[in-house]
């Protein structure tokens, strides 16, 4: 897991989505705080089996391979543990059906950065608890992360808002609102 990261370091958890996630991560790592670590969790489908190797190669080419952990597929408890330890969660998906993974991250008090066009994230990410981007430009993603992490007090407010939003959108709360 995160054991290679020093205490109190920035920990960015990314759901594998595109090579843009690596270039966003590298931009953040290069311009961000020393000791920052990025973890990519998830796996490519069988028809994209070479994707992880391509991402590793890109990380090496960008000079950030030593600060990116490729965690691979995670069980639900493992992913929940990684989320609880993260500072920010990036969701670079091209498509989401609902944004459940964003709510899971928010339930851990972790602000989310996601692409607005994915479907799902606009409904699952509060404006005061995360960032929805219209851009797929890695520099914009790195800037969004930097903005979320620029102040301890600001991050704490985002974290509290993210958690509050998730608590109001549990399965029970959603079902109660549908009746």
């Amino acid at each position: 897991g995160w054991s290679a990261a020093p205490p109190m370091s920035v920990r960015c958890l990314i759901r594998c989505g595109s090579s843009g996630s690596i270039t966003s991560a590298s931009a953040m790592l290069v311009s961000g705080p020393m000791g920052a670590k990025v973890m990519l969790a998830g796996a490519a489908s069988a028809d994209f089996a070479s994707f992880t190797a391509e991402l590793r190669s890109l990380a090496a080419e960008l000079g950030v391979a030593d600060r990116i952990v490729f965690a691979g597929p995670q069980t639900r408890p493992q992913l929940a543990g990684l989320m609880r330890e993260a500072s920010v969660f990036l969701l670079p998906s091209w498509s989401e059906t609902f944004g459940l993974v964003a709510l899971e991250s928010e339930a851990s008090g972790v602000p989310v950065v996601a692409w607005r066009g994915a479907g799902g994230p606009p409904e699952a990410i509060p404006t005061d608890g995360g960032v929805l981007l219209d851009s797929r430009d890695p520099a914009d993603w790195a800037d969004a992360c930097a903005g979320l992490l620029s102040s301890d007090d600001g991050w704490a407010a985002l974290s509290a808002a993210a958690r509050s939003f998730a608590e109001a959108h549990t399965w029970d709360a959603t079902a109660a609102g549908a009746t």
Side-chain angles (χ1 to χ4, degrees):
W2 292 107
S3 60
M8 305 303 293
S9 68
V10 171
R11 294 172 167 164
C12 178
L13 181 63
I14 303 176
R15 179 172 174 197
C16 284
S18 68
S19 59
S21 60
I22 292 289
T23 50
S24 296
S26 70
M28 186 186 73
L29 290 170
V30 169
S31 64
M34 294 304 295
K37 282 285 210 187
V38 171
M39 181 175 293
L40 279 89
S45 58
D47 53 335
F48 289 97
S50 65
F51 186 60
T52 301
E54 292 171 19
L55 292 179
R56 286 180 189 276
S57 177
L58 181 58
E61 179 183 319
L62 294 170
V64 295
D66 61 327
R67 292 171 65 193
I68 297 180
V69 176
F70 289 85
Q74 302 291 302
T75 64
R76 287 192 174 282
Q78 289 170 328
L79 185 57
L82 293 175
M83 284 183 179
R84 282 190 300 274
E85 295 178 24
S87 304
V88 64
F89 182 79
L90 269 64
L91 184 60
S93 301
W94 285 96
S95 176
E96 286 291 323
T97 55
F98 174 68
L100 185 57
V101 70
L103 283 171
E104 291 169 340
S105 180
E106 293 162 353
S108 296
V110 179
V112 179
V113 177
W115 182 51
R116 183 182 311 277
E123 293 76 29
I125 300 171
T127 57
D128 61 347
V131 177
L132 290 168
L133 296 173
D134 293 315
S135 170
R136 305 267 323 156
D137 184 324
D140 293 335
W141 285 67
D143 289 346
C145 287
L148 288 176
L149 301 169
S150 63
S151 144
D152 288 344
D153 290 341
W155 183 88
L158 287 164
S159 174
R163 183 159 175 88
S164 177
F165 183 86
E167 288 172 345
H169 290 83
T170 64
W171 288 117
D172 289 340
T174 301
T179 58

